[in-house]
Amino acid sequence: MRDNFHDRIRLPSLREKVTSAAAAAHWVRDGMTVGMSGFTRAGDAKVVPLALAERARHEQLKITLMTGASLGNDIDKTLTEAGVLARRIPFQADPALRSAINRGEVMFVDQHLSETVELLRTRQMAPIDVAIIEAIAITETGAIVPTTSVGNSASFAILADKVIVEINLTQSPELEGLHDIFIPKRRPQREPIPIMSVRDRVGTTAIEIPPEKIVAIVITEKADSSSNILPPDAETAQIAGHLVDFFKNEVKQGRLTESLLPLQAGIGTIANAVLAGFIDSPFEHLTMYSEVLQDSTFDLFDAGKLDFASGSSITLSPQKSRDVFANIGRYKDRLVLRPQEVSNHPEVIRRLGIIALNTALEADIYGNVNSTHVLGTHMMNGIGGSGDFARNAYMAIFATKSLAKGGDISSIVPMVSHVDHNEHDVDILVTEVGLADLRGLAPRERARAIIGNCVAEPYREMLRDYVERASRRGGQTPHLLEEAFSWHVRYRDTSSMLLPLEEARLRA
Amino acid sequence: MRDNFHDRIRLPSLREKVTSAAAAAHWVRDGMTVGMSGFTRAGDAKVVPLALAERARHEQLKITLMTGASLGNDIDKTLTEAGVLARRIPFQADPALRSAINRGEVMFVDQHLSETVELLRTRQMAPIDVAIIEAIAITETGAIVPTTSVGNSASFAILADKVIVEINLTQSPELEGLHDIFIPKRRPQREPIPIMSVRDRVGTTAIEIPPEKIVAIVITEKADSSSNILPPDAETAQIAGHLVDFFKNEVKQGRLTESLLPLQAGIGTIANAVLAGFIDSPFEHLTMYSEVLQDSTFDLFDAGKLDFASGSSITLSPQKSRDVFANIGRYKDRLVLRPQEVSNHPEVIRRLGIIALNTALEADIYGNVNSTHVLGTHMMNGIGGSGDFARNAYMAIFATKSLAKGGDISSIVPMVSHVDHNEHDVDILVTEVGLADLRGLAPRERARAIIGNCVAEPYREMLRDYVERASRRGGQTPHLLEEAFSWHVRYRDTSSMLLPLEEARLRA
């Protein structure tokens, strides 16, 4: 253990700060705002949060918890069940927390992931009192070397009064050097972010703060949670196939080269599977400028398809995790992890010309997308970075399977019950049925393309009927307001979006 | 006339291109895509478009018309009535065209104003065949000096095969030097836009193209149309008052200095009136980084409140127009006109930290905003630049009067019938009733702030009742899907959003 301290806490004066999780947790008091590391289950602070939950059994302890994005290790669940969370910002993906949010017990502020630290920096949200950051090491100057994610850790540590560091001995020391910490200057001194290629390194490899802000260091040996995505299936393979065909044609038309443009892929099964589909494609020398790097990133590296990947975290399945982190040296010169403010920055996304691929919970006939709210009211996870990317991308693609719940739900509906991405930001919609290229189309044309290409029967015919009747009343975006949500209401009341007649016909 | 030619067409070889509008119009053929100058009724091509309408009386002539934004001089009306418009991109504000769009006769592609030329440059939309650009002059090298707007003119001229120039003798030659033409490089060579202050000039004062692309020059003497905004009234003064109080407090809290941050104000009566309200404020050394510069910009200059204004066009009332353009030298060193791609660029907006002020057609209890669609279906004007600004701004403010049609419409509804800006992009909502500061709030908290601060009775009570009943069903964003649009349907059917009982009570 002493050796680890020397390697892992290289500024001698900080070694006396090593303490227990319980003792470290006492820096957090009731009513505080706490900023924790953690982005897509990677690099989260793992033991001090649980010590907070433990404390809450004996005393009143309610906090505002800000993170990069979702946490692993049941941290959100444990904190929720202990009643510690008053507010949660800017993303989550935990079933227990989700339920508490939807009961109105935890106030969840669902934010574009690039914006949280801007709001903190300008004090448009309450300031961070304590930051709790997982690290590989603390350097000779007291700088914090993050682990498998950067997320908002750098700005949290810089902006907090006090910083608690969790040194995680299970995280490979070889990750050091992977990170590129760049913090934009305060306005009006702010300058351009000098990233002109996904490869560009523009910052430092560790988070530089005054070492005296580090009030406690806890040594941990808990691993990151693995990703919980599902493997590719027949439908995700079809979605990938439609996209590969689409991009082949873009190359043929001379709009893209065979290295395309830097790819972003949202978290989750569908985006991961679609990206994996590029292994069997004619594209070469691909690059990524994304948030989370999932299994598919490393599959593409191994297939010789991907030249470089920039992200804010690495989140892998158990098998892939063992392969990658045991051999991280093999990938290290082709990887960079950045603060989510930079990985998701509108400036860089627009400059590089990102091809953004994100998942829709549901989409409508005009190409508006709901990424977050079940039946318009109940939160799933949050908008995440999809809005940072879709608004500013070269091309915004949204993918979904056309059906859910064995066909009782059509993912394409007359009107989405919640809008996260409006038609202006949705260029391509793709399902296993097919792909709708919506670029340069007016809403009535978008409806024809989406219904014709992306929807399976009998919903296709039901949507044609809807749009035809709506169009008789005119408008740029024809709708029947009385019926716009009738599919959602029918699903809620009958467990199926199908009309009774259609359902009978289908089941016959 | 010969003298004018020498001043106005300084490259001698181009003088032989001077011709009539009718002759110039013959470069446009059926099925072509035409890019015209014109942004918010300023700097539009004025005579060749009308010659196209004239031609359509005798022959089949349908085009895709792209502009900067809205046109004056009844050009959209005349082209619509002549049946010339097959497609219209990316904005319009003409009643006759609007009707044709809503009848489904003209396909209107409503785009974020910064994006149109990106889509053209990457050939994601059909290319421009002919550009028609109003100019003060053509320089010694054949470069085109725009008039009262830049809009998309530079990229249209650069990307088109053929360029027609309308030299407008009524536009002040003193406008020359006002423009700053900067065109981002193609990816992957693209570099940062080097604007670090609203004052920065980063381009050329004229649009540089190979002179041989100029196929025709037409001399015109038609003036720009004046703006058609209404003067400030009691309610817009109240809205301005709420915002001035809000900003006073931001300064007091140390979040802003008394020069605030660069202001953007959308086109129209409310934004103009609100900005004019800053004349009687304690703020000093204000700056603007906006699209259209309206009367209020020059009122603020004259009041000594405004130091510099960057825009893409100047659109003024008749009186103000006479004052400003007769004395443009007085303002010239405090003004710059940029391409709308630059005035609205996400990179620059985020870097400078714009305070964005735009108008809502309606907003809902959670702070989603409809900027475009009446009753969810019928287009008014288009989203314009509001999405470029609101997503990337330091702070996005939306303003509306709380009531319309003498109280029969509440501008705050349970759910907006069309979403242009979702809750993630709406920081402040303000009506004449008051201001809701939504920063850092979860949806249930947003609803309380909006209903409590922005809504007049009896709608306030009706909304409280809605949200209370909806909340019983739970959710991050409680709604009753069956009732969400009931106010809109009631207005459509009874000409009032009021419940019969409320209406009776109100009229009693």
Side-chain angles (χ1 to χ4, degrees):
Chain A
M1 200 71 165
R2 174 162 300 230
D3 279 352
N4 287 324
F5 280 34
H6 277 78
D7 286 356
R8 302 276 193 157
I9 308 174
R10 297 185 212 133
L11 181 62
S13 63
L14 284 177
R15 287 177 199 145
E16 66 188 34
K17 302 287 186 183
V18 174
T19 186
S20 68
H26 273 94
W27 290 99
V28 176
R29 292 196 306 275
D30 187 42
M32 278 188 167
T33 295
V34 179
M36 290 188 194
S37 64
F39 191 100
T40 60
R41 304 163 73 85
D44 32 23
K46 295 175 179 70
V47 295
V48 180
L50 301 184
L52 289 175
E54 186 60 29
R55 258 180 67 197
R57 294 172 58 171
H58 313 293
E59 57 179 298
Q60 161 81 12
L61 182 63
K62 286 246 179 230
I63 64 169
T64 293
L65 174 59
M66 307 181 74
T67 58
S70 56
L71 304 177
N73 282 293
D74 285 341
I75 294 165
D76 268 325
K77 174 175 189 282
T78 309
L79 290 172
T80 300
E81 289 171 355
V84 174
L85 300 182
R87 307 176 75 72
R88 186 71 178 85
I89 303 170
F91 189 82
Q92 59 75 42
D94 179 83
L97 174 53
R98 184 184 297 151
S99 295
I101 289 167
N102 288 323
R103 287 193 304 270
E105 295 167 9
V106 178
M107 292 294 104
F108 175 48
V109 186
D110 174 27
Q111 285 177 335
H112 299 303
L113 293 188
S114 81
E115 292 190 353
T116 305
V117 296
E118 291 273 28
L119 292 165
L120 282 172
R121 190 179 290 138
T122 53
R123 297 196 285 125
Q124 296 188 83
M125 287 197 297
I128 299 275
D129 298 296
V130 178
I132 310 176
I133 310 295
E134 184 178 84
I136 297 165
I138 298 173
T139 69
E140 293 75 0
T141 62
I144 301 166
V145 183
T147 60
T148 43
S149 70
V150 181
N152 284 324
S153 298
S155 285
F156 285 169
I158 290 166
L159 295 169
D161 293 332
K162 298 181 174 63
V163 178
I164 298 168
V165 178
E166 291 193 4
I167 302 271
N168 189 326
L169 302 180
T170 72
Q171 297 277 22
S172 167
E174 281 200 81
L175 290 169
E176 189 168 349
L178 199 64
H179 313 92
D180 186 59
I181 310 298
F182 176 90
I183 306 290
K185 287 188 193 164
R186 306 249 174 159
R187 304 174 183 117
Q189 277 76 40
R190 188 171 292 184
E191 295 166 355
I193 298 176
I195 295 175
M196 271 157 285
S197 146
V198 298
R199 291 170 177 78
D200 287 346
R201 290 185 155 273
V202 297
T204 57
T205 57
I207 301 164
E208 296 178 350
I209 57 167
E212 58 274 19
K213 289 213 310 188
I214 298 178
V215 294
I217 300 172
V218 181
I219 309 295
T220 78
E221 298 190 78
K222 285 180 86 163
D224 277 352
S225 296
S226 302
S227 79
N228 46 10
I229 57 173
L230 303 170
D233 61 25
E235 285 165 340
T236 59
Q238 285 171 313
I239 292 172
H242 297 313
L243 276 170
V244 168
D245 287 345
F246 167 76
F247 282 116
K248 276 187 195 166
N249 187 54
E250 291 296 295
V251 173
K252 192 173 158 197
Q253 300 297 326
R255 286 192 282 265
L256 290 170
T257 68
E258 64 174 14
S259 62
L260 307 181
L261 279 165
L263 301 167
Q264 176 258 338
I267 192 165
T269 300
I270 290 182
N272 181 64
V274 166
L275 211 60
F278 278 52
I279 291 171
D280 298 317
S281 79
F283 312 122
E284 304 281 351
H285 302 296
L286 296 171
T287 57
M288 292 187 72
Y289 194 85
S290 198
E291 300 170 318
V292 52
L293 305 178
Q294 303 181 86
D295 284 20
S296 52
T297 296
F298 295 88
D299 293 337
L300 286 166
F301 273 138
D302 292 346
K305 286 290 184 187
L306 183 65
D307 283 4
F308 199 95
S310 166
S312 192
S313 73
I314 301 174
T315 305
L316 303 173
S317 65
Q319 175 63 44
K320 202 77 192 170
S321 182
R322 281 190 293 276
D323 293 352
V324 167
F325 290 117
N327 300 286
I328 189 73
R330 205 165 72 199
Y331 301 102
K332 204 169 160 185
D333 62 347
R334 291 176 284 171
L335 280 177
V336 61
L337 294 185
R338 308 180 192 274
Q340 70 197 66
E341 179 182 19
V342 178
S343 65
N344 289 28
H345 203 288
E347 171 177 339
V348 183
I349 292 165
R350 180 79 169 244
R351 182 181 306 140
L352 298 181
I354 304 298
I355 295 172
L357 170 64
N358 290 286
T359 305
L361 191 64
E362 63 177 2
D364 70 27
I365 54 175
Y366 297 111
N368 300 284
V369 165
N370 172 8
S371 306
T372 54
H373 281 69
V374 176
L375 294 177
T377 56
H378 283 60
M379 175 57 60
M380 278 294 291
N381 302 331
I383 194 167
S386 56
D388 294 319
F389 283 96
R391 176 69 49 93
N392 300 299
Y394 164 84
M395 176 190 292
I397 302 166
F398 284 87
T400 178
K401 295 183 182 186
S402 76
L403 301 173
K405 304 274 180 196
D408 285 324
I409 288 177
S410 172
S411 304
I412 317 294
V413 291
M415 181 188 268
V416 286
S417 56
H418 179 91
V419 176
D420 290 294
H421 307 286
N422 61 37
E423 58 122 341
H424 309 283
D425 298 329
V426 181
D427 298 312
I428 306 289
L429 186 66
V430 58
T431 69
E432 81 287 357
V433 176
L435 181 147
D437 181 355
L438 306 171
R439 293 174 296 177
L441 300 188
R444 288 172 186 237
E445 298 168 312
R446 293 169 71 95
R448 277 196 292 277
I450 291 170
I451 297 171
N453 295 347
C454 300
V455 185
E457 295 292 5
Y459 291 113
R460 180 182 288 183
E461 195 50 43
M462 288 166 66
L463 288 172
R464 281 207 175 116
D465 171 62
Y466 175 84
V467 81
E468 189 200 313
R469 288 183 294 116
S471 296
R472 280 184 219 138
R473 296 211 199 145
Q476 162 85 345
T477 305
H479 269 301
L480 303 167
L481 291 184
E482 299 92 330
E483 273 187 46
F485 295 142
S486 60
W487 294 28
H488 300 86
V489 171
R490 192 156 58 236
Y491 176 77
R492 189 196 64 201
D493 294 345
T494 72
S495 300
S496 175
M497 285 186 174
L498 288 169
L499 292 163
L501 186 67
E502 296 292 346
E503 201 171 357
R505 196 182 297 164
L506 208 71
R507 303 210 190 282
Chain B
M1 199 73 164
R2 176 161 299 230
D3 281 350
N4 286 323
F5 281 36
H6 277 78
D7 286 355
R8 302 277 194 157
I9 309 174
R10 298 184 212 134
L11 180 64
S13 63
L14 284 178
R15 288 178 199 145
E16 67 187 33
K17 302 287 185 182
V18 174
T19 185
S20 68
H26 273 93
W27 290 99
V28 176
R29 292 195 304 275
D30 186 43
M32 278 187 168
T33 295
V34 179
M36 290 188 193
S37 64
F39 191 100
T40 59
R41 305 165 72 87
D44 35 21
K46 296 176 177 69
V47 295
V48 179
L50 300 183
L52 289 175
E54 186 59 30
R55 259 179 67 197
R57 295 172 58 171
H58 312 293
E59 58 179 299
Q60 161 81 12
L61 182 63
K62 286 243 178 233
I63 65 168
T64 293
L65 174 60
M66 305 180 76
T67 58
S70 57
L71 304 177
N73 282 294
D74 286 342
I75 294 166
D76 267 326
K77 174 175 189 281
T78 310
L79 290 172
T80 300
E81 290 171 355
V84 174
L85 300 181
R87 306 176 76 72
R88 185 73 177 85
I89 304 169
F91 189 82
Q92 59 76 42
D94 180 82
L97 173 53
R98 184 184 296 151
S99 295
I101 288 167
N102 287 323
R103 288 193 303 271
E105 294 167 11
V106 177
M107 291 295 103
F108 175 48
V109 186
D110 174 25
Q111 286 176 335
H112 299 305
L113 294 188
S114 81
E115 292 190 354
T116 304
V117 297
E118 290 273 28
L119 293 166
L120 283 171
R121 189 178 290 137
T122 52
R123 297 198 284 125
Q124 295 189 84
M125 286 196 300
I128 300 273
D129 297 296
V130 178
I132 309 175
I133 310 294
E134 184 177 84
I136 297 164
I138 298 174
T139 70
E140 293 75 1
T141 62
I144 300 166
V145 182
T147 61
T148 43
S149 70
V150 180
N152 286 323
S153 297
S155 285
F156 286 168
I158 289 166
L159 295 169
D161 293 332
K162 297 179 175 64
V163 178
I164 298 168
V165 178
E166 290 194 5
I167 302 271
N168 189 328
L169 303 180
T170 71
Q171 298 276 22
S172 167
E174 282 199 81
L175 290 170
E176 189 167 349
L178 199 63
H179 313 93
D180 186 58
I181 311 297
F182 176 90
I183 306 290
K185 288 187 193 167
R186 306 247 175 162
R187 303 177 184 113
Q189 277 76 38
R190 187 170 292 184
E191 294 165 356
I193 298 175
I195 295 175
M196 270 157 286
S197 147
V198 299
R199 291 169 177 79
D200 286 348
R201 291 186 154 272
V202 298
T204 57
T205 57
I207 302 165
E208 296 179 350
I209 57 167
E212 58 273 20
K213 289 213 310 189
I214 299 177
V215 295
I217 299 171
V218 181
I219 310 294
T220 78
E221 297 189 78
K222 286 180 87 162
D224 277 353
S225 295
S226 302
S227 78
N228 45 13
I229 58 173
L230 302 171
D233 60 25
E235 286 164 340
T236 59
Q238 286 171 312
I239 293 172
H242 297 313
L243 276 170
V244 167
D245 287 344
F246 167 76
F247 282 116
K248 276 186 197 166
N249 187 53
E250 291 296 295
V251 172
K252 192 174 158 197
Q253 300 297 327
R255 287 192 282 265
L256 291 170
T257 69
E258 64 174 15
S259 63
L260 306 182
L261 279 164
L263 302 167
Q264 175 258 339
I267 192 164
T269 300
I270 290 181
N272 181 64
V274 166
L275 210 60
F278 279 50
I279 291 170
D280 297 316
S281 79
F283 312 121
E284 304 282 352
H285 303 296
L286 297 171
T287 57
M288 293 187 72
Y289 195 85
S290 198
E291 299 171 318
V292 53
L293 305 178
Q294 303 182 87
D295 284 20
S296 52
T297 297
F298 296 88
D299 293 338
L300 285 167
F301 274 137
D302 293 347
K305 288 287 184 188
L306 184 66
D307 282 5
F308 199 94
S310 166
S312 192
S313 72
I314 301 173
T315 305
L316 303 173
S317 65
Q319 176 63 45
K320 202 79 193 168
S321 182
R322 281 189 293 276
D323 294 351
V324 167
F325 290 118
N327 301 287
I328 189 72
R330 206 165 70 198
Y331 301 102
K332 205 170 160 183
D333 61 349
R334 291 177 283 170
L335 279 177
V336 61
L337 294 185
R338 308 182 191 274
Q340 69 196 68
E341 179 182 20
V342 178
S343 65
N344 289 29
H345 203 290
E347 172 176 339
V348 183
I349 291 165
R350 180 79 169 245
R351 182 181 306 140
L352 298 181
I354 304 299
I355 295 171
L357 170 64
N358 291 286
T359 305
L361 191 62
E362 63 177 1
D364 69 27
I365 52 174
Y366 298 111
N368 301 284
V369 164
N370 173 8
S371 305
T372 54
H373 281 67
V374 176
L375 294 178
T377 56
H378 282 61
M379 175 56 60
M380 277 294 291
N381 301 332
I383 193 166
S386 56
D388 294 319
F389 283 95
R391 176 68 51 93
N392 301 300
Y394 164 84
M395 178 190 291
I397 302 165
F398 285 86
T400 178
K401 295 185 182 184
S402 77
L403 301 172
K405 304 275 180 196
D408 285 324
I409 289 178
S410 171
S411 302
I412 317 293
V413 292
M415 181 188 268
V416 287
S417 56
H418 179 91
V419 177
D420 290 295
H421 306 287
N422 60 37
E423 57 123 340
H424 310 283
D425 298 329
V426 182
D427 298 311
I428 306 289
L429 187 66
V430 58
T431 70
E432 81 288 357
V433 177
L435 180 146
D437 180 354
L438 306 171
R439 293 174 296 176
L441 299 188
R444 287 172 187 237
E445 298 168 314
R446 293 168 71 94
R448 277 196 293 276
I450 291 170
I451 296 171
N453 295 346
C454 301
V455 184
E457 295 292 6
Y459 292 113
R460 180 182 289 182
E461 196 48 46
M462 289 166 67
L463 288 173
R464 281 205 176 116
D465 171 63
Y466 176 84
V467 82
E468 189 200 313
R469 288 184 292 117
S471 296
R472 281 185 219 138
R473 295 210 200 147
Q476 162 87 345
T477 306
H479 268 301
L480 303 166
L481 291 185
E482 299 92 331
E483 273 187 45
F485 296 142
S486 61
W487 294 28
H488 300 86
V489 170
R490 192 156 58 237
Y491 176 77
R492 189 195 64 202
D493 294 345
T494 71
S495 300
S496 175
M497 285 185 175
L498 289 169
L499 293 163
L501 186 68
E502 295 292 345
E503 203 171 355
R505 196 180 300 163
L506 208 71
R507 301 209 192 285

